[in-house]
Amino acid sequence: AAGGALDRFTAAALDPPADIRAVAVADHGDLTVADARPEEALEPVASAIGRALADADVVVVLGGDNSVTRPGVRGVGPDLDAVALLTLDAHVDFRATDRGMTNGNPVRALVEDGLPGRNIVQVGIQSFANSPTYLADAGAAGVGIVGVERVRDRGIDAVIGEALDTLAARAGAVYVDLDLDVLDAAFAPACPGARPGGLAPWDLRRAARRCGAHPAVRALDLVEIDPERDPAGATSLVAASCLLEFAAGVAARSG
């Protein structure tokens, strides 16, 4: 969905200016995991990301639900002590794993895999969108949680900049999970998990640019869009613009 939406944009960025045609891009195609359970997709997705990173500064994963994040982080690994995770999400994704993997528990699963909780920062978490038990479990694991209210108070640039610098100091590589349901529901009709009071598209775009520009960021996923709920393409346009902003950030790494 985001790929088709790219046709609505140009390659020129402003404030700061950038021409993303300077970024060399290789399309590694689709993985045949759409009908697989998350457990079955773990090895194929992780291996594909690991192979792609061998010849790239960054890898972008488009589509799927949030269960993609676990194999994504594992692909950047495999030493999880050397990897950090930054999520932009309304949810902590800390549901129990005893009944298998879902889009609601990749962060808990990664902690259980061995990813240190202190290597995780979650930005945009919403009030009244998470179980008190899951919030407590995430906090007990050492996960840094930045609610959407604090993002509005401090500004997205300050929050994302601090999170990236903190995580980069703790690990050599940062994986960014950009879950589109972090947006306010008015801007994300294709995200069933979006709620009123979320981030605005301009905040998410600024965050994507900051992530792309940070040298420790090795991978980004854009997830949780249901194209069947997006007849006007509004959510896909936001996702596409975030992808372009991320690319503009990557372009800035080399000046």
Side-chain angles (χ1 to χ4, degrees), residues 13 49 77 79 97 120 137 163 173 180 199 203:
I49 290 173
D79 179 6
T97 60
I120 304 170
D137 288 348
L180 273 295
L199 295 182
D203 288 325

Side-chain angles (χ1 to χ4, degrees), residues 89-95 104 122 124-136 145 195:
D89 197 336
H91 310 99
V92 293
D93 290 341
F94 235 77
R95 293 180 183 174
Q122 301 192 277
I125 302 302
Q126 280 235 42
S127 298
F128 313 117
N130 295 273
S131 157
T133 299
Y134 300 151
L135 287 170
I145 297 174
R195 297 290 182 270

Side-chain angles (χ1 to χ4, degrees), residues 42 46-47 49-50 69-80 83 109-110 113 175:
L42 174 60
S47 295
I49 290 173
T69 300
R70 182 190 180 208
V73 172
R74 295 275 295 268
V76 173
D79 179 6
L80 291 179
V83 182
L110 282 165
D113 288 342
Y175 184 101

Side-chain angles (χ1 to χ4, degrees), residues 30-82:
D30 296 331
L31 293 176
T32 56
V33 295
D35 296 324
R37 297 192 308 272
E39 294 91 338
E40 298 169 334
L42 174 60
E43 195 282 329
V45 175
S47 295
I49 290 173
R51 289 193 301 270
L53 278 172
D55 298 313
D57 294 321
V58 294
V59 169
V60 175
V61 181
L62 296 177
D65 63 33
N66 233 145
S67 62
V68 167
T69 300
R70 182 190 180 208
V73 172
R74 295 275 295 268
V76 173
D79 179 6
L80 291 179
D81 285 328

